[in-house]
Amino acid sequence: MARLFTDDDVQLVYQTLMQKVREGDPAALSLISRYVAAPPKSAYSPTPFDYNQDDPLSGAQSIMMAIAKGELPADVGRSLIEGLASVQRIREVVELEQRLTQLEEEVEGKQ
């Protein structure tokens, strides 16, 4: 549908909406705030840092240091730490499953 509008059409719609907003039209204000002046969506850029998967604590500490030094925004750091925590929980489940399988095999072997 957007391809049906020319740049001139879009400009005319914008100007019309802005005029309505100036006149106090709440529907026009809603449209402008929703589609034209919408808050920017957060987009994280790549954040390189050293991460030793065998030592998730040092990875989390590296992230916290980068935040403290102002090298990394706090919201990005929080996301990274949440990601590390998720990876660690997955690793723990996999390790528990492997250990359980090993124990079951040992028990079956003794019977």
Side-chain angles (χ1 to χ4, degrees):
M1 177 130 169
R3 287 180 258 159
L4 299 174
F5 295 99
T6 66
D7 288 343
D8 291 337
D9 294 332
V10 172
Q11 188 64 27
L12 180 61
V13 167
Y14 174 74
Q15 290 172 353
T16 304
L17 278 173
M18 286 306 298
Q19 181 60 39
K20 295 283 188 185
V21 167
R22 287 185 202 102
E23 294 170 1
D25 185 327
L29 179 60
S30 175
L31 288 169
I32 287 288
S33 64
R34 190 175 322 140
Y35 296 106
V36 177
K41 293 181 180 176
S42 178
Y44 298 139
S45 59
T47 309
F49 67 95
D50 292 331
Y51 171 62
N52 178 350
Q53 67 179 10
D54 296 326
D55 186 10
L57 177 59
S58 69
Q61 288 171 329
S62 296
I63 293 168
M64 292 303 293
M65 287 302 296
I67 293 169
K69 291 178 182 178
E71 299 169 349
L72 187 64
D75 60 335
V76 174
R78 184 182 65 240
S79 276
L80 290 170
I81 289 177
E82 288 171 358
L84 290 175
S86 294
V87 168
Q88 186 60 26
R89 283 191 299 274
I90 292 168
R91 180 179 293 119
E92 289 169 356
V93 168
V94 168
E95 288 174 0
L96 285 172
E97 184 178 331
Q98 290 170 346
R99 291 173 66 189
L100 181 59
T101 300
Q102 182 182 8
L103 286 171
E104 288 172 342
E105 288 171 357
E106 288 176 14
V107 168
E108 287 177 9
K110 290 182 180 181
Q111 291 179 359

